[in-house]
Amino acid sequence: MVNDPRTIFPKVDPPQQIQAEPGLDIKLEPLADIGLDSYQGHNRLAGRKALITGGDSGIGAAVAIAYAREGADVAISYLPEEQPDADRVIAAIEEAGRTAFAYPGDLKDADYCRELVEKSVAALGGLDILVNNASRQIWAEGLTEISDEQFDLTMRTNLHGSFRVTKAALAHLKPGASIIFTSSIQAYEPSPTLLDYAMTKAAMNNLSKGLAAELTPKGIRVNSVAPGPIWTPLQPSHGQPQEKVAGFGQQAPLGRAGHPVELAGAYVFLASDEASYVSGETLGATGGSPTP
Ligand code: NAD
Ligand code: MG
């Protein structure tokens, strides 16, 4: 059977809607496909142990569910107010017959970053895969509208959080391990309304290449995934102005926003032995927008 990528998933045509940051997946209108009914595993990560930041919703949730169905035990982090979303993902991991570990907290807190890694390692009995996925994205009408406080919050969440979690994880990662960062089409085509956020996404590409240079000779692969417009709670929780929430993603060459589950395969590939010769790479899943 051949499926047309323009129509294989339901077209997202969201009405204007607003949620408080960080937003809940279960309140999205329409609901996004995180793989609950659509992702089928093939045992490609049998016995692995993975930590996924922001694994409660959106892309991180789709990756968590996919990893569990591929045979991995999965730890997820998220903010305490996202517990209703996390509960859905924890149930899916356990239904797949795998161990789930959930540890809510704020990645802006350095102690939490370290505790998250240590508690996940203890709960899962090791760590083979780290997915740095959590981020904040708050739109602003240009540089002068980004307050110093907002800038600081974005940097501390997206940059400091990823740096600290990765640094703590390195003590536990052995040859065969895989680190994956989440970049964005915004790393290459920054929107004037997302200047601070876009900077942090370019940094994910840069860090994954630099860290790959350090770790690949030690048998640890490091890569990034760069999504295009994906329908997740990031967008209607001040991630975009309201006029961009309605019609979200329809400017992509495929003519529609992506669903989180459409990113799962990229993260599974980069974590699995199928990507054994892939390190220092950024894999775009942009709906057809070219990346450099
Ligand atoms: P999402 O809102 O579902 O996920 C982001 C998660 O980040 C939240 O669930 C939350 O748990 C976490 N987070 C935010 N601030 C935090 C903090 N201070 N402490 C701890 N956790 C915090 O949205 P998503 O779109 O699935 O985002 C996942 C990743 O994908 C992000 O890195 C984002 O930059 C990236 N991305 C998304 C898109 C898109 O169109 N949705 C496009 C490109 C890249
Ligand atoms: Mg969330």
Side-chain angles (χ1 to χ4, degrees):
M1 191 171 69
V2 176
N3 290 306
D4 184 334
R6 296 170 298 180
T7 52
I8 181 171
F9 283 93
K11 185 161 179 159
V12 176
D13 195 7
Q16 293 198 357
Q17 57 197 282
I18 196 152
Q19 293 193 42
E21 183 194 1
L24 284 181
D25 236 351
I26 55 174
K27 288 191 179 168
L28 277 185
E29 197 190 338
L31 286 175
D33 188 339
I34 58 170
L36 287 169
D37 299 320
S38 57
Y39 190 88
Q40 200 188 337
H42 297 282
N43 233 27
R44 284 180 285 184
L45 301 175
R48 310 267 170 108
K49 295 160 194 318
L51 168 59
I52 303 164
T53 64
D56 58 300
S57 59
I59 296 166
V63 174
I65 293 165
Y67 278 11
R69 292 185 186 175
E70 296 288 355
D73 295 325
V74 180
I76 60 170
S77 84
Y78 49 91
L79 288 162
E81 56 267 40
E82 297 175 296
Q83 192 65 46
D85 276 352
D87 287 342
R88 198 166 65 139
V89 176
I90 294 162
I93 295 167
E94 290 175 345
E95 273 163 32
R98 308 308 312 179
T99 299
F101 176 67
Y103 190 55
D106 189 340
L107 289 166
K108 297 195 296 297
D109 174 350
D111 289 336
Y112 168 74
C113 291
R114 287 184 281 269
E115 284 166 22
L116 169 66
V117 171
E118 298 311 321
K119 287 184 192 291
S120 298
V121 168
L124 303 184
L127 190 64
D128 309 302
I129 305 166
L130 170 63
V131 178
N132 286 292
N133 167 76
S135 278
R136 91 190 279 271
Q137 172 187 319
I138 303 293
W139 77 276
E141 202 75 71
L143 191 76
T144 52
E145 295 302 315
I146 303 172
S147 68
D148 285 356
E149 191 204 353
Q150 282 296 322
F151 183 81
D152 196 52
L153 290 174
T154 302
M155 297 303 139
R156 283 169 59 207
T157 307
N158 301 8
L159 294 184
H160 299 205
S162 299
F163 169 77
R164 288 177 176 139
V165 170
T166 305
K167 192 170 159 184
L170 284 189
H172 303 281
L173 298 180
K174 298 185 173 60
S178 172
I179 303 173
I180 305 169
F181 292 89
T182 303
S183 178
S184 170
I185 185 77
Q186 288 288 326
Y188 315 110
E189 289 180 12
S191 299
T193 48
L194 293 175
L195 296 174
D196 55 341
Y197 169 82
M199 286 169 68
T200 69
K201 297 286 109 177
M204 295 300 107
N205 277 343
N206 185 279
L207 177 58
S208 66
K209 288 190 192 305
L211 194 58
E214 178 187 343
L215 297 180
T216 309
K218 298 176 181 168
I220 298 173
R221 296 180 299 101
V222 189
N223 294 285
S224 287
V225 175
I230 311 300
W231 183 232
T232 72
L234 196 73
Q235 306 300 348
S237 58
H238 306 276
Q240 301 285 350
Q242 281 299 304
E243 63 273 17
K244 284 200 184 174
V245 169
F248 178 73
Q250 290 173 15
Q251 81 290 356
L254 279 178
R256 62 174 179 86
H259 285 271
V261 68
E262 296 185 88
L263 270 294
Y267 287 85
V268 168
F269 168 67
L270 291 173
S272 76
D273 289 345
E274 290 168 33
S276 55
Y277 211 62
V278 181
S279 193
E281 181 57 72
T282 298
L283 178 47
T286 63
S289 296
T291 60

